[in-house]
Amino acid sequence: TAKLNTVAKAAGKKYLGSATDNPELTDTAYVAILSDNTMFGQITPGNSMKWDATEPSQGTFTFSGGDTIANLAKQNGQLLRGHNCVWYNQLPSWVTSGNFNASQLSAIVSNHCGTLVGHYKGQVYSWDVINEPFNDDGTWRTDVFYNTLGTSYVSIALQAARAADPAAKLYINDYNLESSSAKATAMVNLVKSLQASGVPIDGVGIQGHLIVGEVPSTFQSTLQQFTALGIEVAITELDIRMTLPSTPALLAQQKKDYQSVIGACKAVTGCVGVTVWDYTDKYSWVPSTFSGQGAACPWDANLVRKPAYDGIVAGF
Ligand code: XIL
């Protein structure tokens, strides 16, 4: 049977990839599939490049977990997505403490992004420099960065990232950007304003945490709204969950849903690739986050391919 990265590349995409996480790397059967670069041409660290992992106390950087993933990508001949520089979640308490004024927090954001991106210079295809800046209604998320710096934290982070690794594609990444919505409009407007003021921005990441039977019909046109701005898009965290237990009917619908998401990316020239948010239900974040839901990935918890796998192949 066809391998996923092989079919993605044959369709003109740069990669079909997977998220992974450090604790899973002791599972040799899991790693064997992950490391096949005809299956996955790209990997993303699910946690180990986040702020709490990389700068747990101010000015002290710890890259060991991230380095493990970066080295795995290198060994396997896979692209690497960096994830992420600035996010309201998984922040160490020294950042959220509220103890910093604007000029201090500006320097902290700049130093964090510059040091993190600089550490992986030359190894990363694309970075999620900003993660999840918007609420679903298109207003800004009022996290410590916005509350202290207003929208300027976005350009501070992007400029620091560009200076640290000029070759890396710089992305803003968010969920619920899969349909035309207030949030997607807010993202379009943000990209336009960054471009107008000369701030570096290369792509928008569409996370793609979806529900079986609910892939938006405007998925493709929404991707095109972004690429029309002259930037690339990527589907960065694809999984399609269902209410458990899974049934043959739900798995068949999930196959169709994977196929239509992949088909939308295939149809849009500027959609460079698709990353599943881990390839197996064994290590999916879904059950622990969405109570009663799961079975969101293209491989089951026994590392056996599901109908969704064939949906991905068919979509390309
Ligand atoms: C998730 C990880 O997969 C989990 O292991 C962790 O406990 C929480 O974060 N959007 C993102 C990702 O951008 O960073 C999140 O990853 C999933 C939602």
Side-chain angles (χ1 to χ4, degrees):
T1 39
K3 303 284 192 72
L4 301 184
N5 191 50
T6 303
V7 290
K9 294 189 91 162
K13 302 299 154 185
K14 290 194 194 298
Y15 60 84
L16 185 293
S18 178
T20 187
D21 205 359
N22 298 68
E24 306 157 20
L25 300 179
T26 56
D27 180 340
T28 51
Y30 168 84
V31 172
I33 295 171
L34 182 74
S35 296
D36 174 0
N37 68 17
T38 67
M39 191 64 85
F40 301 112
Q42 174 274 325
I43 59 176
T44 307
N47 286 298
S48 54
M49 291 186 190
K50 291 173 179 174
W51 200 314
D52 59 356
T54 54
E55 194 185 3
S57 58
Q58 189 174 1
T60 302
F61 285 85
T62 51
F63 294 119
S64 56
D67 289 355
T68 298
I69 308 291
N71 290 335
L72 188 64
K74 196 183 298 172
Q75 278 165 29
N76 295 338
Q78 294 164 320
L79 298 172
L80 179 65
R81 295 196 83 252
H83 179 80
N84 55 61
C85 299
V86 179
W87 188 28
Y88 77 94
N89 213 345
Q90 293 180 267
L91 283 173
S93 56
W94 70 266
V95 178
T96 49
S97 65
N99 290 340
F100 302 112
N101 66 28
S103 82
Q104 291 167 328
L105 193 62
S106 170
I108 286 166
V109 168
S110 187
N111 185 54
H112 181 74
C113 294
T115 306
L116 176 62
V117 173
H119 180 79
Y120 294 106
K121 183 182 179 182
Q123 300 182 61
V124 171
Y125 170 69
S126 55
W127 263 105
D128 292 326
V129 177
I130 305 291
N131 200 33
E132 303 182 349
F134 292 120
N135 297 311
D136 282 344
D137 67 0
T139 58
W140 285 83
R141 193 185 285 278
T142 51
D143 56 18
V144 64
F145 306 110
Y146 182 83
N147 288 342
T148 311
L149 293 166
T151 63
S152 72
Y153 81 86
V154 173
S155 53
I156 292 165
L158 286 165
Q159 278 158 343
R162 177 66 95 227
D165 186 354
K169 303 276 188 191
L170 307 183
Y171 276 61
I172 305 175
N173 189 51
D174 214 327
Y175 62 93
N176 289 346
L177 297 179
E178 297 83 10
S179 63
S180 53
S181 62
K183 196 174 192 174
T185 302
M187 188 65 84
V188 166
N189 290 335
L190 173 57
V191 170
K192 284 182 180 166
S193 81
L194 293 170
Q195 290 174 326
S197 37
V199 177
I201 178 69
D202 302 307
V204 167
I206 314 288
Q207 290 186 3
H209 295 296
L210 299 171
I211 297 171
V212 165
E214 298 182 23
V215 176
S217 57
T218 52
F219 199 112
Q220 186 179 319
S221 58
T222 307
L223 297 180
Q224 276 155 345
Q225 266 193 285
F226 291 114
T227 58
L229 303 173
I231 56 169
E232 56 184 56
V233 293
I235 299 165
T236 54
E237 305 185 13
L238 180 62
D239 50 27
I240 311 183
R241 62 188 185 265
M242 61 183 72
T243 299
L244 297 173
S246 72
T247 62
L250 284 166
L251 293 170
Q253 180 63 45
Q254 185 183 52
K255 173 184 175 180
K256 289 186 192 163
D257 293 338
Y258 267 94
Q259 183 173 346
S260 59
V261 169
I262 297 295
C265 181
K266 181 185 178 184
V268 176
T269 305
C271 183
V272 297
V274 178
T275 306
V276 292
W277 202 244
D278 226 320
Y279 73 84
T280 163
D281 294 333
K282 187 173 186 179
Y283 299 120
S284 171
W285 74 305
V286 167
S288 61
T289 307
F290 303 95
S291 166
Q293 299 180 60
C297 302
W299 274 255
D300 72 15
N302 297 314
L303 305 183
V304 175
R305 296 175 195 177
K306 294 156 63 179
Y309 181 98
D310 302 310
I312 295 174
V313 174
F316 282 122

